Amino acid sequence: MEAQELREALSRATPVLPVPDGFRVGTQCLYPSNNSVLVTVRGGVDAFVVSDDGGAALELSNTGYTRHLTDRQIGGLVKPQGLKVRDGTIYSPIVPLKAVPAAVTLVANASKEVADWGTQHLKFRVRRNFKEELTKLLDRHFHDNMKHDSTVIGASNKPHKFGHIIFLPGDKRLIVDPVINDPSSINSRVVANMDVKLAKDPNVLQLIVYDDAAEWQSSDLALLELGATTVGFSSAERTIQRLAA
């Protein structure tokens, strides 16, 4: 099957983002951080492999755990579902085209379950979180007109959870969506924001905020811009005030 045909088949059920070696698929599964679980479909003709690209391990790493999650630990959780693991990445066996949607669901659920298991069984260290600083900043200005972790429906009719939504005069809403510097968070926020942007609701404004105290690749920032206007945390306050004026 041609790449465009595969993308169209997948996008009937879920947002799809093309990547150099396949397609990255958004799902309704959520990690403990509320980031959407993303999986990647690679292959061609009638032989495909679905992978979480190490998403569960990255989720736990970004939270900050004191022990590495081993392949043995992950394997014990995912092998009963017929899945495999290598270097922290959960992946399916080779499946035919007609089985790709089921494999997407299976891998996404497994990745979520591994992350959920890790939050319950691994010891975590406290780490400074710019998301908390953004929340405090917004509370200072918009405490009475804002909801945290609120949902917006995208063009695909799927609900997407965003960090903050500010309610403005004239029934307008400003989405302020924080993102951290890892592939899982970046891709999750791009998929969610793209889907909402494609709905073309004139009353919805979107802003992605990243921690510019961290080192970012220009390609990752360019990818975020596909989802929504993107701004560093150091200049977020004045940008948000301008959009909310």
Side-chain angles (χ1 to χ4, degrees):
M1 172 175 280
E2 295 296 330
Q4 183 61 30
E5 293 178 275
L6 175 59
R7 183 182 180 187
E8 289 174 357
L10 288 169
S11 63
R12 295 189 193 109
T14 185
V16 175
L17 184 69
V19 293
D21 57 349
F23 296 97
R24 192 152 292 142
V25 183
T27 75
Q28 291 185 331
C29 295
L30 297 177
Y31 287 127
S33 65
N34 287 326
N35 283 329
S36 296
V37 178
L38 302 180
V39 299
T40 302
V41 181
R42 299 179 174 93
V45 188
D46 202 35
F48 299 88
V49 173
V50 180
S51 163
D52 81 335
D53 282 343
L58 281 169
E59 170 76 10
L60 296 171
S61 177
N62 289 327
T63 304
Y65 60 90
T66 57
R67 290 190 296 120
H68 289 292
L69 196 63
T70 67
D71 282 1
R72 182 176 180 179
Q73 289 172 311
I74 298 174
L77 298 169
V78 305
K79 285 181 179 179
Q81 289 114 328
L83 300 176
K84 304 177 182 180
V85 59
R86 180 183 297 163
D87 297 330
T89 294
I90 300 165
Y91 62 99
S92 73
I94 296 174
V95 297
L97 176 63
K98 64 181 181 181
V100 168
V104 165
T105 300
L106 188 64
V107 171
N109 279 321
S111 189
K112 166 186 164 50
E113 289 170 5
V114 168
D116 287 343
W117 181 90
T119 61
Q120 297 170 14
H121 293 85
L122 298 178
K123 294 182 179 180
F124 292 86
R125 61 180 180 272
V126 176
R127 179 183 290 179
R128 182 181 176 182
N129 190 342
F130 103 98
K131 288 185 177 181
E132 295 178 359
E133 297 180 20
L134 178 61
T135 298
K136 292 176 183 177
L137 183 155
L138 294 173
D139 278 335
R140 289 199 301 269
H141 295 284
F142 306 103
H143 178 73
D144 296 328
N145 300 297
M146 180 177 58
K147 287 185 178 180
H148 302 297
D149 297 326
S150 193
T151 298
V152 178
I153 304 298
S156 66
N157 290 322
K158 291 186 179 295
H160 299 282
K161 185 172 286 188
F162 294 95
H164 316 279
I165 297 181
I166 301 170
F167 296 89
L168 305 174
D171 294 325
K172 290 187 178 295
R173 290 173 291 168
L174 171 59
I175 295 172
V176 180
D177 198 26
V179 60
I180 59 177
N181 191 5
D182 81 86
S184 176
S185 179
I186 292 168
N187 292 325
S188 173
R189 302 335 303 156
V190 170
V191 168
N193 278 279
M194 283 183 66
D195 196 28
V196 170
K197 184 165 67 173
L198 288 172
K200 297 181 179 179
D201 186 339
N203 288 324
V204 175
L205 307 174
Q206 296 169 250
L207 186 69
I208 295 174
V209 181
Y210 68 96
D211 183 5
D212 49 2
E215 293 185 6
W216 287 76
Q217 297 290 330
S218 58
S219 58
D220 288 335
L221 295 178
L223 183 61
L224 289 172
E225 286 283 356
L226 293 177
T229 299
T230 302
V231 64
F233 177 70
S234 62
S235 57
E237 185 169 12
R238 60 178 177 270
T239 301
I240 293 167
Q241 287 181 314
R242 174 176 57 80
L243 291 174

